[in-house]
Amino acid sequence: MSGTTVQGVFDPLDHIADICDKHKLWMHVDACWGGSVLFSKKHRHLMKGVDRANSVAWNPHKMLVAGLQCSALLLKDTTNLLKQCHSANATYLFQQDKFYDVNLDIGDKSVQCSRKVDCLKLWLMWKAVGSMGLEERVDKAFIHARYLVEQMKKREGFQLLSMPEFVNVCFWFIPPSLRGKEGTEDYQEKLAKVAPVIKERMMKQGTMMVGYQPLGNKVNFFRVTVFSPLLSQKDMDFFLDEIERLGKDL
């Protein structure tokens, strides 16, 4: 994985590639969320070793904010593997005696056959802002995430699950009534109810939409992913203020 959904964790691809090479295994990298870090010279080290993968999945509609949907499956294979796997040889659709190279009929390589031209969304965006513009989007997302973390450390009641590796900031908000009571018997049970109530309040008041979830033995916590190029530090401050306002009486 390169950028897990909840905590934004990156696996050590070089080490995994060593194991795959040793045992002759196909190495696939799920980089749907984190793959866009490759545009950033500062952060692409998170995917060191991805060049050794046999296949990579990537969603430009996530971190790069391309129009939904825009997804790519990248293959190192040059044997027309997708056609070998998916071709139905439907002669009523893909006649083989055309005047042009029938390999251009790429519909016979996909599961869907009829589909929208997803790649056009990426191409247009790339042409509009360029590689430097996409790099700026990625770097800006990291700057905002780091800013959020630093501000949380200065405020009472915000507790990080861990220091984020990516732009996923996972945290608990501890309302005043629970602070200093971490060792009590019903602390976890009460803490688990905080995020759902704050989520309900923010949605009913129409101020924000932020997700929460449990993970393993960790009770409900908020997960904010900061990546929109339209966001500013002012938005980060509003987010923290609003969490405090909505949860201070719990």
Side-chain angles (χ1 to χ4, degrees):
M1 290 289 291
S2 288
T4 56
T5 301
V6 177
Q7 293 188 281
V9 175
F10 286 75
D11 286 328
L13 300 182
D14 259 335
H15 293 307
I16 294 172
D18 289 341
I19 295 171
C20 290
D21 288 346
K22 180 179 179 180
H23 298 283
K24 294 181 170 53
L25 299 173
W26 182 283
M27 179 178 169
H28 175 72
V29 177
D30 180 346
C32 291
W33 173 216
S36 297
V37 299
L38 289 175
F39 280 96
S40 168
K41 290 185 284 291
K42 186 174 182 180
H43 300 291
R44 65 177 54 151
H45 65 89
L46 292 168
M47 289 187 65
K48 184 178 181 298
V50 69
D51 54 299
R52 300 173 64 187
N54 300 103
S55 56
V56 179
W58 172 47
N59 292 158
H61 67 241
K62 292 183 177 174
M63 191 173 199
L64 295 184
V65 205
L68 274 169
Q69 112 175 345
C70 185
S71 303
L73 174 64
L74 308 174
L75 297 170
K76 186 178 288 185
D77 179 89
T78 58
T79 65
N80 218 356
L81 184 61
L82 290 179
K83 189 167 186 177
Q84 293 179 48
C85 294
H86 299 146
S87 175
N89 292 314
T91 55
Y92 61 92
L93 289 177
F94 307 111
Q95 298 81 12
Q96 300 302 298
D97 55 354
K98 293 176 181 174
F99 67 92
Y100 58 80
D101 183 357
V102 294
N103 286 317
L104 296 174
D105 291 332
I106 59 175
D108 211 19
K109 296 180 181 181
S110 69
V111 176
Q112 298 142 292
C113 188
S114 298
R115 56 178 294 174
K116 294 181 180 179
V117 189
D118 289 346
C119 62
L120 184 61
K121 304 165 192 174
L122 174 61
W123 184 85
L124 285 171
M125 180 179 67
W126 206 332
K127 288 288 286 185
V129 304
S131 297
M132 289 181 62
L134 296 178
E135 180 178 20
E136 287 174 6
R137 289 188 180 188
V138 174
D139 290 344
K140 186 178 181 182
F142 275 89
I143 290 170
H144 283 330
R146 300 298 178 262
Y147 177 80
L148 256 186
V149 169
E150 292 308 309
Q151 294 304 306
M152 285 181 181
K153 291 178 179 178
K154 298 176 183 178
R155 300 191 185 212
E156 193 175 5
F158 289 90
Q159 182 181 334
L160 292 164
L161 266 73
S162 60
M163 283 297 296
E165 185 176 16
F166 193 26
V167 296
N168 304 40
V169 182
C170 300
F171 67 95
W172 289 283
F173 177 71
I174 317 296
S177 65
L178 288 179
R179 293 172 195 170
K181 299 181 180 179
E182 289 78 4
T184 56
E185 184 177 350
D186 58 351
Y187 175 80
Q188 292 295 321
E189 181 182 350
K190 289 182 177 179
L191 181 59
K193 298 176 181 178
V194 172
V197 174
I198 294 178
K199 169 82 172 190
E200 178 184 353
R201 290 178 175 182
M202 70 173 69
M203 292 190 68
K204 286 182 175 178
Q205 295 181 31
T207 56
M208 302 190 300
M209 286 185 67
V210 182
Y212 70 86
Q213 68 281 301
L215 181 65
N217 62 354
K218 296 178 173 62
V219 299
N220 287 325
F221 56 87
F222 284 109
R223 169 174 56 97
V224 57
T225 52
V226 186
F227 61 90
S228 171
L230 300 179
L231 292 173
S232 66
Q233 287 190 353
K234 183 179 179 181
D235 296 310
M236 303 299 102
D237 293 332
F238 172 81
F239 167 76
L240 295 172
D241 292 341
E242 190 67 0
I243 292 289
E244 288 180 330
R245 183 184 73 83
L246 295 170
K248 63 184 179 182
D249 65 332
L250 295 179

